Each structure stands twice: as structure tokens, then as C-alpha cells.
């Protein structure tokens, strides 16, 4: 019998990557060359049409038919000039991935020839028969029709031979079946609230932009080793594997030299990203061996989300050329750090001010502290919903574990800001900065803030100088989910803030005083959510409980916040999603969770029964034969004294085998019971409470066997092989 693992280990040394030929010239010369950006539009559209379209796109108006035909014609000409032969509406269904259905430009005409055709209606709307995509019961398969509609705010792009047009995906009856639809609505809601808010300080603000920069963590594993690990292939993580003698304890990987092979991969990834206008800026090693990170420069949130989805696709695609598999799972390897996606979020005005930048004068300081207090209070009121937005089967391993522990949501703002907010809280009356300054004296915020070094790496939601960084997002997740929730809760809270300030002004309060009063109120209200200490410490658990903060580490239970009365009110009040749509999303999340745990459980069972146990028995037989042989050649006394250890190993192996068998069977019967349950919620909870508890038990015995069985026989690539790039 051939050992797949040993063959894979040998293979890793001898394969060469198929590198991409870099385009000639500097990056700036080909950056964005595969996107239908403004410069391509200018080139391919008549001047007046271009002006018209930019106007419409920027003011969010509807595009009329004539205009659509014009854009479609120019988009087609551009795409054909780049060698595209197909087009597709590219959308974000509720699977969390992206979906596309390609159509050819080619259209037969009467004389037996064909032309390339693409008109306005094909650009604007399509009806993909996407009946197998999840809808949470909104659509029945027999009335599967849903349609996709063009999102002009995210530029179309070309991948391989296909023009991809970013679109929303809605059901025939108008319900959103994707993440982009509610995303765009929350951006709109937040923009409105922000503009209104900015008018307290500057009447010239007409528009704001929500910004997002996504730091993306991931692991790389050699493709041959990956192919020999059915668990990683099917579930994205290793369900078995004993820790390597060395992993991250020396911290020698973090920010170390990027291995040659990985650098070559990253180079190609960057080239392809740049062509698509994804502004990758940084790359470095992460904490765990074979763990890396790349991050783009921040962009408008809707575009940034699209780009992150696209980036994940590119990462896999380029990985294949380099014989590498990209592991996006949140916790692929036990005992070393998992991966997340840090979502850096802020709001920028069209006057160039970042609402989360501490100001230079009293006025901008007041604006900053006001906006900060609103964000903090939004987190305070909607922590459960925020947690639900990042909960997933993969992220469950990180909930309460040793990275960005999102089981308790809290916010970190740093020592200086804490001091500032404490002063605001206690200052009952307002002081004037000076005689000439009519503004309120908000305590001065020191310049040092931007470079502040006491960044708390343990906080799930941290202020980092001029943005908040939401670190609880899973590495494989779409950023749309948490960004929908964050945008919405801040929009809602800010609208309330604005309203109350206006009410105070109406009652005769001076504007600045009114704002300050509200800031003070918000600072007090949100105080319990602020935590500067170590989020990994046990004292935090007790402290959080005392403060009345919730702590939910179980994923299906954390989903429940999606359908609480408060959450439904929030979404409905702001016109983002209806109750029906929220129920649908809730059930999709549950179903997805159940399926993932079910697959993991099956993989564990199969691997144990068909790979691990037979090998363990084989090795055990060798030991038994050896013991019998010894008994034949040795006198009894010598035999008894030296065989003790060997016999003990035989016994140990037997015990592990029998424990594995027993627990796999018990797990199977729990799975059967769970499968018979009707409701999505009951089923997910049964998988979480009854099936999953067998995972660590079975794993413990398998991992022990890994240490006992002859290395040459062991069938699965080991952690030391998977985690140290050659
Ligand atoms: P870190 O030290 O956490 O790695 P960086 O300074 O490298 O942080 O930035 C991380 C991400 O934050 C980058 O993608 C960057 O573009 C983004 N970022 C910076 N400023 C903003 C902002 N105002 N809004 C949103 N994202 C931002
Ligand atoms: Mg960061």
C-alpha cells in the first residue's frame, strides 16, 4: 500500500510554479487596466455621455435606457479590446461567496455569420436561474426567478475572458437575496445621517464616504500535502493533527523574512490584483508558521467589499499556479493562531475630513468626540447583533479563544482618549477655550494619538488613531455582513443623536452646548462597552458579567440576535431589510452552520474508521509480532524486563482505537437524532450541543496515536510538514 503522505512530502520539493509574465512597465502603467474605470469610460464614451454618466453614478440616480445602451456599447468595445468573449452578472448570494453565469457576446445573424452583441438591457438586468442558491424559504424552486441588477458604483472588470458586472440579486417579489442590496442601503442611510451631523459643524458638506480597508490573513499549504489531507480539502481545517514540536512559540515567523516561494506567489497575486484595481499595499508574515497577511489601501466600503471577494478568488487562483493552497478557514490548525479579517472602518466627508480623526481645533475636536461617542454607543446597544454578524462555524473556534475574542464585544480606545472621555463625563459645565473662542473646550487630544503604540491586540473593536478596526471578522467571511450591521447601527444611532441635538437647540440651547450635552450623555451610556485591559484574561469574564455585557461563544445561539425584536426594528425602521428577509437570513445561517458541522463530523468518522484505525492496527500487529519473536529468542526473565514498555504501547494503541471507535459511533447516533429534528434552530443547536462535543474527544485519541505509530505508516501529513514552507 502506498503512503500518500510520504509521496506528497517528496513531491513538494520538485515542482515549479507557473509564474505570470509581468506586464511591461511600471505598476502604475497597468494598474486598473482590467477594470472599466473612469479612464476607460472616458476613452470609450462620447464626451457628453461620459459627463452625464459620471453625474448619474455620483448622485446615485437611475440610469435611463438610452444611457444604458450607450454604456453597454462602450463597455463591450472596451471588453472586446481586452480579449473578452463573455460577460456575466457578478453577485453576492447568501452563500457568502460570489456567483456568476457566463453568456457569450456572440449572437448569430441571418446570413450565417455572427456579431458581438451587448445592449443596455443586458447590462442593467438579467434573470439567472439561480434556484439552487439559498433564499431561506423566500423563493420556492418552482418560482425560482430572481433577477440581478447592475451596481454602477462598483466598476466592471475582466477575469480571464469574461466581463464581470457587479450586480445586486433580488427575488421577483423584490426581496434581497444577496449582501450587496442591504449593503448599498446602509451606506445610503449612514451617508444621510453623517451629512446631517456634519452640518452642525460645516454647512458645505454635501456627501460622505464610508471607508473600509481589509487586512486579510491566510495560511498557505503545499498543494500536494493538501491533497493528502481529506479533512482540509473538505472542511477547510485539519480535524486531526498533533502539534508540531515547534510552532509559533519562538515568534520567529511574525514579520520575519517572507519565504522565497511565498514571495513569488505574492508577487503574482499583486500583479493580478493591480490589473483589477485592487490596491494591495502591504504583505507580511503573520504570527503562526505559514500564516501571512496582505492588506489593500482603504476604499469606499462597497468597492472594498467587492475587492475583498475578488481578492479571495484571485488568491486561490494564483495559488494553483504556484502549487499552493490558500487556507482561508478561521482556525485551520489547532494550537496556533487562527486567521481573521481586520475591518478598518471610518467615514470621510467630501471636504476631506475623516470623522474619526481627532481635530486640530476645538470645533473639530467636538465633532470627533461626538462621532466617537455615537459609534461607541451604537456598539453598546447592538453588541449582540454585531457578534451575530461575524458568527460562523469557522469563527466559532475563535469565539472566546486566543485571538480577538468576540464572545464578549467591547471597544478599546486607548489611554489618552479614555482620559478625554472621562473628563467629558465629569465636566458638568462648559468652559470656553479662550475669550476669542466661542467653542466649547473639549479636552485637547494629543497629537501622539495616530502613532499610539499601546494598541490593544486583544480587543475585538479597537480605535486605531483615525479609524475603528473590527477584528472579529472571520478570514473566509464576506465583509458585507459585518459592514451592513456596523453601517446601520451607527446610522441609526447618529440619526437619533442629530434629532436630540436639534430638539435641544429648539428648546433654546446653544448649538455647541447642545452637542456637548449629548456627547456627555452618550459617553455615559456607552461607558460599559469600553475596555482597555486584556480581553483574554479571566478577570475580564467576571468584569464583563458585572457590567451586564453578554458573552455568547455558541454560534447558533449568537445568531439569535439577528431576529430579536430590537434587531428587526432596527432593520425595518431604516428600510434595510424586512422581517421576512431577516428570518430568511437567520435560517440560512443556521442551515449553513448545521451543514458545516455535519460535514466535519462525517469527515472525522471516515478518517478515523478508514485511515487512522487500519494503520494503527497494522502498526500494532508489527509490535505484537515483534513481542512474540522476542519471547521466542529470549529467556523469560530478560523478556519480562524488556518487553514491558512494548506491551504497554500495544495496550495504549488498543485503548485509543477502542475509544475512537466508541466515540465515532456515539457521535453518529447523535447525528442521526439531530438529522431527524425539524426546525433549523433545533437542528443547529443539536449539532452544536450534542454532536460537536465528540470532536475534541476523538481528536485527542487520534492525535495520541499519531505520536505512537511509526512515522512511515502515518497516512496524514503532519503539522510540521504542513506548516513549514519549503
Ligand atoms: P495595522 O497597523 O493595523 O496593520 P495599517 O495602518 O497598516 O494598520 O492599516 C490597516 C488598514 O487600514 C489598511 O488597509 C489601511 O488602508 C486602512 N485604513 C487606514 N486609514 C483608514 C481609514 N480612514 N478608513 C478605513 N481604513 C483605513
Ligand atoms: Mg490591524
Amino acid at each position: 500500500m502506498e503512503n500518500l503522505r510520504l509521496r506528497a512530502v517528496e513531491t513538494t520539493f520538485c515542482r515549479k510554479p507557473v509564474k505570470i509574465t509581468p506586464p511591461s512597465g511600471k505598476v502604475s502603467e497597468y494598474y486598473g487596466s482590467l477594470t472599466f474605470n473612469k479612464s476607460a469610460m472616458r476613452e470609450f464614451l462620447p464626451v457628453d455621455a461620459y459627463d452625464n454618466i459620471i453625474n448619474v453614478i455620483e448622485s446615485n440616480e437611475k440610469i435611463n435606457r438610452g444611457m444604458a445602451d450607450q454604456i453597454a456599447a462602450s463597455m463591450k468595445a472596451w471588453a472586446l479590446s481586452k480579449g473578452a468573449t463573455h460577460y456575466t452578472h457578478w453577485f453576492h448570494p447568501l452563500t457568502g461567496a460570489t456567483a456568476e453565469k457566463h453568456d457569450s457576446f456572440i449572437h448569430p445573424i441571418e446570413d450565417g455569420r455572427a456579431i458581438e452583441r451587448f445592449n443596455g438591457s443586458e447590462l442593467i438586468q438579467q434573470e439567472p436561474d439561480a434556484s439552487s442558491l439559498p433564499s431561506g424559504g423566500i423563493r420556492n424552486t418552482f418560482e425560482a426567478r430572481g433577477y440581478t441588477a447592475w451596481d454602477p458604483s462598483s466598476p466592471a472588470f475582466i477575469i480571464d475572458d469574461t466581463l464581470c458586472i457587479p450586480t445586486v440579486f433580488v427575488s421577483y417579489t423584490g426581496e434581497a437575496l444577496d449582501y450587496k442590496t442591504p449593503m448599498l442601503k446602509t451606506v445610503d442611510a449612514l451617508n444621510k445621517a453623517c451629512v446631517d451631523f456634519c452640518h452642525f459643524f460645516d454647512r458645505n458638506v454635501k456627501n460622505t464616504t464610508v471607508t473600509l480597508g481589509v487586512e486579510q490573513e491566510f495560511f498557505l499549504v503545499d498543494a500536494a500535502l493538501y491533497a493528502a489531507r481529506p479533512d482540509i480539502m473538505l472542511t477547510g481545517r485539519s480535524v486531526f493533527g498533533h502539534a508540531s514540536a515547534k510552532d509559533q512559540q519562538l515568534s520567529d515567523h511574525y514579520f520575519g523574512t517572507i519565504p522565497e516561494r511565498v514571495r513569488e506567489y505574492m508577487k503574482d497575486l499583486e500583479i493580478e490584483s493591480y490589473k483589477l484595481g485592487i490596491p494591495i499595499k502591504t504583505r507580511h508574515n503573520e504570527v503562526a508558521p505559514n500564516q501571512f497577511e496582505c492588506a489593500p489601501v482603504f476604499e469606499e466600503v462597497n468597492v472594498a467589499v467587492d475587492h475583498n471577494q475578488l481578492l479571495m478568488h484571485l488568491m486561490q487562483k494564483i495559488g494553483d499556479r504556484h502549487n499552493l493552497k490558500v487556507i482561508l478557514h478561521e482556525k485551520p490548525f489547532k494550537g496556533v493562531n487562527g486567521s481573521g479579517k481586520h475591518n478598518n472602518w471610518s467615514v470621510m466627508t467630501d471636504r476631506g475630513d475623516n470623522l474619526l480623526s481627532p481635530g486640530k481645533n476645538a470645533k473639530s475636536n467636538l465633532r470627533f468626540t461626538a462621532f466617537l461617542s455615537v459609534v461607541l454607543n451604537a456598539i453598546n446597544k447592538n453588541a449582540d447583533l454585531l457578534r451575530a454578524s461575524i458568527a460562523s462555524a469557522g469563527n466559532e473556534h475563535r469565539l472566546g479563544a486566543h485571538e480577538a475574542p468576540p464572545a464578549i464585544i467591547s471597544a478599546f480606545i486607548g489611554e489618552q482618549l479614555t482620559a478625554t472621555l472621562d473628563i467629558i463625563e465629569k465636566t458638568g459645565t462648559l468652559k470656553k477655550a479662550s475669550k476669542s473662542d466661542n467653542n466649547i473646550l473639549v479636552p485637547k487630544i494629543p497629537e501622539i494619538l495616530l502613532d499610539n503604540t499601546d494598541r490593544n491586540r486583544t480587543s475585538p473593536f479597537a480605535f486605531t488613531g483615525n479609524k475603528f478596526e473590527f477584528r472579529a471578522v472571520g478570514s473566509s467571511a464576506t465583509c458585507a455582513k459585518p459592514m451592513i450591521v456596523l453601517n446601520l447601527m451607527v446610522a441609526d444611532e447618529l440619526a437619533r443623536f442629530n434629532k436630540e441635538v436639534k430638539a435641544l437647540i429648539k428648546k433654546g440651547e446653544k448649538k455647541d452646548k447642545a452637542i456637548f450635552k449629548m456627547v456627555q450623555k452618550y459617553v455615559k451610556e456607552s461607558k460599559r462597552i469600553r475596555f482597555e485591559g486584556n480581553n483574554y484574561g479571566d478577570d475580564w469574564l467576571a468584569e464583563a458579567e458585572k457590567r451586564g455585557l453578554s458573552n455568547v461563544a455558541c454560534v447558533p445561539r449568537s445568531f439569535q440576535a439577528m431576529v430579536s425584536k430590537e434587531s428587526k426594528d432596527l432593520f425595518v425602521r431604516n428600510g434595510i431589510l424586512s422581517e421576512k428577509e431577516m428570518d430568511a437570513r437567520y435560517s440560512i445561517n443556521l442551515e449553513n452552520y448545521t451543514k458545516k458541522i455535519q460535514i466535519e463530523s462525517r469527515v472525522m468518522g471516515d478518517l478515523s474508521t478508514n485511515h487512522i484505525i487500519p494503520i494503527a492496527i497494522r502498526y500494532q500487529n508489527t509490535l505484537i509480532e515483534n513481542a512474540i519473536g522476542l519471547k521466542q529468542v529470549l529467556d523469560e526473565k530478560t523478556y519480562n524486563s524488556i518487553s514491558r514498555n512494548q506491551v504497554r504501547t500495544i495496550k495504549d494503541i488498543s485503548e485509543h482505537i477502542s475509544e475512537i471507535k466508541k466515540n465515532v459511533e456515539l457521535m453518529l447516533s447523535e447525528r442521526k437524532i439531530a438529522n431527524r429534528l425539524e426546525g433549523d434552530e433545533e437542528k443547529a443547536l443539536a449539532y452544536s450541543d450534542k454532536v460537536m462535543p465528540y470532536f475534541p474527544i476523538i481528536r485527542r485519541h487520534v492525535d495520541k496515536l499519531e505520536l505512537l505509530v511509526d512515522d512511515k505508516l502515518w497516512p496524514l501529513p503532519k503539522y510540521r510538514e504542513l506548516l513549514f514552507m519549503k
Side-chain angles (χ1 to χ4, degrees), residues 211-215 255 281-282 284 293 295-299 342-348 354 455 457 464 466-469 471:
T211 52
L212 171 67
V214 187
E215 299 163 64
F255 276 49
K281 180 89 174 167
T282 57
H284 61 80
E293 178 188 299
V297 176
F298 67 92
E299 300 177 279
H342 295 179
N343 280 22
N344 294 269
W345 175 95
S346 189
V347 179
M348 192 84 88
N354 177 346
R455 286 190 182 186
R457 293 271 159 204
T464 47
N466 60 357
K467 57 190 165 35
F468 267 106
E469 183 170 334
R471 304 203 183 104

Side-chain angles (χ1 to χ4, degrees), residues 203-221:
R203 300 294 313 173
N204 295 314
V205 172
K206 290 195 180 61
N207 206 353
T208 59
T209 306
V210 186
T211 52
L212 171 67
V214 187
E215 299 163 64
Q216 172 76 53
E217 293 174 336
F218 58 99
F219 280 84
L220 288 174
V221 166

Side-chain angles (χ1 to χ4, degrees), residues 385-531:
L385 183 61
L386 194 63
R387 183 196 301 108
S389 77
I390 53 92
S392 68
N395 224 6
E396 188 158 30
H397 300 275
R398 302 203 314 152
L399 290 174
H402 266 213
E403 313 104 50
I408 303 170
I409 298 283
S410 67
F412 166 87
I413 56 170
E415 212 177 300
Q416 292 144 346
L417 274 184
T418 302
T420 309
L421 295 196
D422 285 348
I423 296 173
I424 290 177
E425 191 192 332
K426 286 181 193 109
T427 314
T429 52
L430 301 175
K431 288 183 234 150
K432 283 183 182 168
S434 70
K435 276 198 182 114
S436 60
D437 189 352
N438 267 333
N439 291 308
I440 294 154
L441 182 69
V442 173
K444 195 159 166 45
I445 297 154
E447 287 282 350
I448 193 170
L449 201 67
L450 249 176
D451 310 301
N452 98 13
T453 44
D454 68 334
R455 286 190 182 186
N456 185 337
R457 293 271 159 204
T458 68
S459 177
F461 200 84
F463 182 75
T464 47
N466 60 357
K467 57 190 165 35
F468 267 106
E469 183 170 334
F470 188 30
R471 304 203 183 104
V473 185
S475 46
S476 68
T478 164
C479 296
K481 267 183 173 181
M483 289 302 100
I484 288 168
V485 168
L486 184 58
N487 289 344
L488 173 59
M489 62 199 219
V490 174
D492 191 75
E493 205 50 48
L494 189 58
R496 187 172 80 102
F497 181 95
N498 293 341
K499 205 170 130 196
E500 292 193 25
V501 169
K502 282 178 196 166
L504 286 176
I505 293 173
K506 214 167 172 189
K507 274 196 209 146
E509 197 82 82
K510 277 246 165 33
K511 186 173 79 183
D512 286 351
K513 242 184 176 173
I515 295 171
F516 189 83
K517 254 192 178 159
M518 281 303 295
V519 174
Q520 212 169 24
K521 182 172 162 206
Y522 270 45
V523 167
K524 277 183 198 157
E525 258 178 52
S526 63
K527 194 170 182 187
R528 65 169 192 160
I529 205 80
R530 275 161 37 204
F531 181 62

Side-chain angles (χ1 to χ4, degrees), residues 662-689:
K662 184 180 88 193
N663 285 292
V664 165
E665 270 159 31
L666 289 171
M667 177 171 77
L668 182 70
S669 50
E670 287 297 350
R671 223 160 64 209
K672 281 190 180 146
I673 298 171
N675 291 345
R676 279 198 295 271
L677 294 170
E678 283 295 327
D680 292 329
E681 201 172 281
E682 290 75 8
K683 211 181 247 184
L685 286 173
Y687 265 94
S688 174
D689 296 342

Side-chain angles (χ1 to χ4, degrees), residues 85-102:
T85 54
H86 289 66
Y87 65 92
T88 180
H89 276 196
W90 183 80
F91 56 102
H92 303 220
L94 296 171
T95 53
T98 56
E100 49 202 81
K101 176 185 153 225
H102 298 186

